[in-house]
Amino acid sequence: MSETDVYGLLIDGESVPAASGKTFTTYDPATEEPLAEVARGAEADIDRAVESGREAFEKWRTTPPEERGRLLTRLATAIQNDIDRLTELEVRDNGKPLSQARADVEGCARYFEYYAGIADKIHGDTIPLTHGYTDYTIHEPLGVTGQIIPWNFPINLVGRTTAPALAAGNVAVAKPAEETSLSALEVGKLAVDVGFPSGVLNVIPGFGAEAGAALASHPDVNGISFTGSVATGRQVAKLAADNVTPTHLELGGKSPNVVFPDADLDVALDETIKAIFGTNAGQVCSAGSRLLVHKEIHDVFVDELAKRTADLSIGPGSDDPNVGPLVSADQYEKVQKYVNIGRSEVGDPIVGGDAPHRNGYFIRPTIFDNVDNGMRIAQEEIFGPVLSVIEFENDDEAIELANDVDYGLVAGIFTTDVGRAHRFARDVDAGQVYVNEWFAGGVETPFGGYKQSGIGREKGLEAIESYTQVKNVCLKIDQ
Ligand code: ADP
């Protein structure tokens, strides 16, 4: 860490220290070494950012939509042009493997590109009220919006949450996670560089209970987007409710990955690994953390899965392994705790369960077999490279098990029977269903949870609904 590695808050187009003068340290999870010092935003800084946003909003909302779109396009290009530096920064701050971090940066650029094209296509309807009237709707921005972002896809989620907000004419105050603040600040700086007016995109790093809570409870914030755990999502929604601030929540999951004997088992094996181990070390809300496998193929499938899992490479993100470190000491301890719970519930894992002897927050991909769906390792989100395998006998039981959790974010099925796939898609409680693959769906596909996995939808055209409010105008034209 050098003296230059001190990141300020981004308020009103300027990099500034926190009002308190305080900073906090962000660490490289592959080495546990300090990476940078970051200004520690809190209530007074959120106040400044919201005030700057409020002033910017009046001008931004009346900026011609095509001009807003052009600025978003410029930002997309700037992010794409800076991909090497942003990728390296993300790898060091979050720990994820290089190629995954690169895909996240590309995804961020793609969000700005996608929503740039939508900025001038947000319009309402005319409604055939009755003869003698003209009635129409206008989709207006909310105003100052707050984005509370987690640490698992830091740069990607900056794009996912702020791009639709800005395209629709809102201004944004983004609060990145304290573990991974750097890439959000870099995106904010690029926005200033490409010509976004000051105050349209503010970035306030800081701790959840300080900066996050101040943002969620701010009376002059008109919309909150939160991505993170269910427990924190509940707190955020309660804080926002005091001001009746609309909130959309993208929370956790315990998603079922269901494999039938008629599936292409080779594909199912590859995708199962990608779903829980090969993407951000399982630190993904849409991870396939419960494998429901049919009795007839259980032994052969799970044996081969264990072999392939044992072969996964594990190491610092800069080496581009299959599995990198977990993001922080806290997350490492949490996952270790669940590995111990798994041991007490079902015995030793069939693979993994230990941590390689090295610096950094590494945990080996771990599979528990013969898990009962009522166990804690089948019900609670672990958010790490830990898979629970559950056996089933028929379609009805598969659906029953798939739905028997508090979550409902995503679900996947592997089968070559088209009717079976559609029946599963119809009956499963999930906001997104994968058939014969896992995680497909880019910026264009709506994403969000059923049950305790959330409220509202991100991505695609649906996200624009979360960032606009509808005004109905009714005129009597025959007197
Ligand atoms: P995790 O528990 O996995 O670290 P969280 O859901 O707590 O994840 O964090 C997601 C985001 O929510 C982070 O930006 C964090 O700072 C923020 N956050 C945490 N606690 C609060 C809170 N009480 N109010 C608002 N934001 C919070």
Side-chain angles (χ1 to χ4, degrees), residues 79-235:
I79 293 166
Q80 195 66 45
N81 288 344
D82 214 359
I83 191 163
D84 292 340
R85 187 178 67 92
L86 293 170
T87 299
E88 193 196 327
L89 192 68
E90 195 79 327
V91 168
R92 294 196 64 200
D93 203 12
N94 168 278
K96 67 175 63 191
L98 199 74
S99 51
Q100 294 178 29
R102 199 174 174 86
D104 289 0
V105 179
E106 275 168 357
C108 178
R110 177 77 183 113
Y111 278 114
F112 286 103
E113 180 184 55
Y114 176 81
Y115 288 106
I118 290 174
D120 58 359
K121 297 168 195 71
I122 301 170
H123 49 69
D125 300 310
T126 54
I127 296 169
L129 187 56
T130 183
H131 191 73
Y133 286 87
T134 289
D135 191 288
Y136 61 93
T137 57
I138 312 173
H139 293 241
E140 297 187 336
L142 302 175
V144 180
T145 59
Q147 291 75 20
I148 301 177
I149 297 168
W151 44 257
N152 60 341
F153 288 87
I155 194 166
N156 191 274
L157 293 182
V158 173
R160 183 169 105 185
T161 56
T162 65
L166 299 175
N170 302 279
V171 299
V173 178
K175 207 300 277 174
E178 45 271 51
E179 295 84 353
T180 53
S181 314
L182 307 186
S183 54
L185 288 165
E186 294 292 348
V187 171
K189 284 185 211 161
L190 289 175
V192 175
D193 291 349
V194 301
F196 272 76
S198 312
V200 168
L201 175 57
N202 301 285
V203 183
I204 310 293
F207 291 96
E210 296 174 4
L215 186 58
S217 58
H218 201 292
D220 212 17
V221 167
N222 310 107
I224 287 283
S225 155
F226 171 83
T227 308
S229 61
V230 175
T232 309
R234 275 197 201 104
Q235 288 179 36

Side-chain angles (χ1 to χ4, degrees), residues 294-355:
H294 193 278
K295 189 178 176 181
E296 204 178 296
I297 51 163
H298 171 274
D299 291 357
V300 51
F301 192 83
V302 174
D303 275 0
E304 182 59 25
L305 182 66
K307 273 193 212 125
R308 292 191 192 190
T309 299
D311 285 345
L312 294 174
S313 58
I314 178 164
S318 52
D319 292 350
D320 205 22
N322 299 121
V323 183
L326 302 189
V327 73
S328 64
D330 280 356
Q331 193 58 20
Y332 176 84
E333 275 158 30
K334 180 183 162 199
V335 175
Q336 285 284 20
K337 182 190 88 180
Y338 273 108
V339 170
N340 291 334
I341 291 171
R343 282 186 205 281
S344 66
E345 285 185 320
V346 75
D348 283 341
I350 56 168
V351 63
D354 59 328

Side-chain angles (χ1 to χ4, degrees), residues 226-283:
F226 171 83
T227 308
S229 61
V230 175
T232 309
R234 275 197 201 104
Q235 288 179 36
V236 165
K238 282 181 189 159
L239 291 172
D242 278 341
N243 298 308
V244 200
T245 304
T247 309
H248 57 274
L249 307 172
E250 203 268 271
L251 307 176
K254 195 74 190 178
S255 299
N257 168 13
V258 185
V259 183
F260 280 90
D262 62 20
D264 180 330
L265 296 186
D266 210 39
V267 169
L269 283 162
D270 281 348
E271 296 293 304
T272 296
I273 286 175
K274 184 170 85 184
I276 183 66
F277 303 130
T279 305
N280 206 18
Q283 302 168 111

